[in-house]
Amino acid sequence: MKKPRSKKPAFAKHYPYYLANRPVTAKTVLDVLDKYSGKRAARVSYADAAVVRKAIVAAHKARPAMAAFPPDKRRDVLEHCVRRFEERAGELALALCIEAGKPIRDARGEVTRLIDTFRLAAGEATRLGGEVLELGISERTRGYRGMTRRVPVGVCSFITPFNFPLNLVAHKVAPAIAAGCPFVLKPAAKTPIGALIIAEVLAETDLPKGAFSVLPCSNEDAALLIEDPRIALLSFTGGLVGWDLKARAGKKKVTLELGGNAACIVDADPGTSLDHVVQRLVFGAYYQSGQSCISVQRIYAHVDIYAKLRKKLKAAIAKLSMGDPREEATFIGPVIDEAAAQRIESWIDEARAGGARRLAGGPREGTMIPATLLENVPQNCALYRQEAFGPVATIEPFDDFDAAIDAVNDSDFGLQAGVFTGQLSHAMRAWDRLEVGGVVVGDVPSFRVDNMPYGGIKDSGLGREGVRYAIEDMTEPKLLVIRG
């Protein structure tokens, strides 16, 4: 490994982008705002279409070198990243707090997950494996032996969103290194700094030239990451525009994680105390201001416990602290920008105009939206049908468990769902019938561990993340047949 550079302050005046492993300071810059104050916090170099094309060319040339880069050296690169992220954990958390407006406690948690994800990938780098095939299925094939091994698919392009600018980058970058795939990453324009710090650490390693580029750029200039035929796989995390990207992607493999309006069922016997259910629902609905693809958006509570649960939720929500994300006590920080806040506010207003009752919450203050809970939300409202991506949840009663499952399934999305139940038969029925990529029993749908398969069905996307599952998408089996 190269000698690490000295630690930089949480925000440098001007961050370079990384083209073919090397930092480049460009004249064109992007201002990164402090999401709480609205003031400029830093500038980053901004790439154009010509730079994106150079990155793809460099990555394409790096394919043989990356494929030949030994598994133990890939592991060493990833372990180096783990060590450096641990050393720079405070810097990474503060950068995340400022550029994303994420409360500092949540920011520290995301740094921990960044480290976990790279550590998992380091372990997988030397376990790609294959299988031995029995080819002697008839007299014709006697004497033949078969075996497979997994080989990298080639150049990968990654496009990541603003809400988890460290860990969602990690879930693409770390598996790509473990698999031996060169890549070009476009981080979200609102939160590029975490990705650039990751690139700075990668630049300290012995990865082959051209193995990676990290390029803040416009959506228009990123078109090549979608359409260029030299790219073998496109991995996109974001909104429903992902389906349009898939249509433009041509023959390349595409994986999509496009969010959802996650639901949680609370049965008559939730299998745990109602106080614990409330604690987890409040966390799931409002952590990092609800800006999570698996944030609790729809709560279905059995009529027998509905009134008590509603009362406890109102009381718990009222205790949440909203304010400066740098403050340790802050639970609700700003949403990403004023436009997002205005959209969320308009959806709340639409639901209330349609007859919904606001149980908790209050008026918007700039980018700050208080934790909001609504009941009796009409099913044709945006807040019910679409992804809120803000600190807003709805609640309604049910009297039949199968009807609750049907209500959860009445959605264009299907990422994850949560079920609190003390009945094994209900837990298994939920697993069988819920139209989602993952069912979490005894907790909220917002639960995720970074080695589990994560992804959805319907409009929520295609494919699965989770380090080992991402590596499967980034590799393919190569067959060897030996006659003798």
Side-chain angles (χ1 to χ4, degrees):
M1 301 297 167
K2 301 172 187 176
K3 184 178 179 180
R5 298 180 181 182
S6 60
K7 178 181 173 181
K8 295 161 65 173
F11 275 91
K13 291 182 179 179
H14 192 152
Y15 284 84
Y17 59 65
Y18 282 77
L19 172 62
N21 307 35
R22 296 176 63 85
V24 177
T25 300
K27 292 182 180 179
T28 304
V29 297
L30 172 71
D31 287 340
V32 179
L33 303 182
D34 179 319
K35 300 306 184 292
Y36 181 68
S37 70
K39 297 178 181 178
R40 187 178 73 198
R43 289 178 170 177
V44 301
S45 292
Y46 207 49
D48 58 20
V51 173
V52 174
R53 185 175 290 106
K54 289 178 182 177
I56 294 171
V57 169
H60 195 255
K61 289 181 179 177
R63 289 177 307 148
M66 274 298 285
F69 198 59
D72 64 303
K73 296 197 72 172
R74 300 177 198 171
R75 177 200 61 207
D76 292 345
V77 166
L78 293 160
E79 288 180 344
H80 171 82
C81 291
V82 168
R83 290 190 297 272
R84 294 290 284 138
F85 297 154
E86 289 174 337
E87 293 168 0
R88 300 177 69 171
E91 173 191 358
L92 286 161
L94 183 57
L96 183 55
C97 179
I98 294 172
E99 73 166 340
K102 186 169 295 196
I104 190 64
R105 290 182 297 176
D106 291 338
R108 292 192 192 106
E110 185 172 343
V111 173
T112 298
R113 291 185 60 193
L114 164 73
I115 293 167
D116 286 346
T117 302
F118 269 79
R119 184 178 286 119
L120 286 166
E124 294 294 338
T126 55
R127 291 199 293 262
L128 297 186
E131 62 178 329
V132 175
L133 304 175
E134 178 55 72
L135 299 182
I137 62 171
S138 68
E139 183 177 352
R140 178 183 68 86
T141 61
R142 289 173 189 162
Y144 288 86
R145 297 172 182 263
M147 59 197 76
T148 65
R149 61 187 177 95
R150 298 201 71 85
V151 298
V153 295
V155 180
C156 298
S157 63
F158 301 141
I159 302 175
T160 55
F162 68 81
N163 59 323
F164 285 90
L166 292 177
N167 198 42
L168 293 181
V169 167
H171 271 284
K172 300 182 191 303
V173 167
I177 294 170
C181 292
F183 65 87
V184 182
L185 165 70
K186 177 194 177 300
K190 291 182 173 66
T191 56
I193 291 174
L196 293 172
I197 294 174
I198 292 171
E200 182 183 334
V201 171
L202 287 175
E204 298 168 356
T205 72
D206 299 323
L207 283 170
K209 182 181 178 181
F212 72 93
S213 295
V214 177
L215 304 174
C217 63
S218 70
N219 292 338
E220 293 75 20
D221 288 339
L224 284 169
L225 298 180
I226 300 150
E227 299 165 0
D228 195 298
R230 289 170 290 196
I231 293 172
L233 179 143
L234 164 67
S235 179
F236 172 83
T237 301
L240 294 177
V241 68
W243 295 113
D244 297 328
L245 304 188
K246 179 178 179 293
R248 293 163 48 194
K251 298 177 182 179
K252 61 179 63 65
K253 295 174 70 173
V254 177
T255 62
L256 303 172
E257 199 278 275
L258 308 181
N261 54 359
C264 192
I265 299 172
V266 185
D267 209 352
D269 170 15
T272 186
S273 72
L274 215 53
D275 288 338
H276 179 68
V277 172
V278 168
Q279 175 192 352
R280 296 305 294 162
L281 287 173
V282 169
F283 167 79
Y286 305 116
Y287 80 104
Q288 67 171 52
S289 302
Q291 296 174 115
S292 167
C293 294
I294 43 178
S295 172
V296 174
Q297 186 170 328
R298 296 178 293 149
I299 302 168
Y300 300 94
H302 194 276
V303 291
D304 289 353
I305 52 95
Y306 183 81
K308 186 178 292 186
L309 178 67
R310 179 179 59 186
K311 181 179 179 180
K312 287 179 176 289
L313 277 172
K314 289 173 62 177
I317 293 168
K319 296 177 182 177
L320 297 178
S321 175
M322 181 175 72
D324 187 338
R326 295 174 185 80
E327 298 293 333
E328 292 289 338
T330 297
F331 191 85
I332 300 287
V335 296
I336 194 65
D337 58 25
E338 187 91 12
Q342 290 173 351
R343 174 190 57 77
I344 296 163
E345 180 185 47
S346 72
W347 287 12
I348 294 171
D349 291 344
E350 178 199 27
R352 295 180 70 195
R357 178 186 175 203
R358 183 162 64 189
L359 303 174
R364 173 177 70 89
E365 299 177 11
T367 58
M368 306 293 291
I369 296 179
T372 302
L373 180 67
L374 301 169
E375 69 175 349
N376 302 323
V377 173
Q379 295 186 6
N380 62 345
C381 284
L383 196 56
Y384 190 96
R385 307 305 313 180
Q386 300 181 45
E387 181 179 38
F389 224 64
V392 185
T394 69
I395 186 169
E396 62 181 274
F398 70 88
D399 59 8
D400 176 79
F401 190 77
D402 284 309
I405 290 176
D406 291 339
V408 174
N409 289 342
D410 181 26
S411 171
D412 292 334
F413 298 100
L415 187 48
Q416 289 193 168
V419 182
F420 287 96
T421 183
Q423 296 189 45
L424 179 60
S425 61
H426 282 190
M428 299 307 291
R429 197 180 313 164
W431 193 25
D432 287 341
R433 290 200 54 220
L434 284 171
E435 297 170 356
V436 293
V439 176
V440 182
V441 175
D443 209 344
V444 290
S446 321
F447 176 81
R448 181 181 180 185
V449 181
D450 296 295
N451 62 344
M452 73 188 204
Y454 176 76
I457 61 173
K458 300 193 282 191
D459 273 355
S460 287
L462 293 170
R464 294 294 181 270
E465 289 192 336
V467 174
R468 180 163 64 86
Y469 302 91
I471 289 173
E472 288 181 4
D473 278 330
M474 296 175 188
T475 59
E476 54 195 1
K478 189 171 186 178
L479 173 69
L480 174 67
V481 175
I482 298 175
R483 181 182 181 185

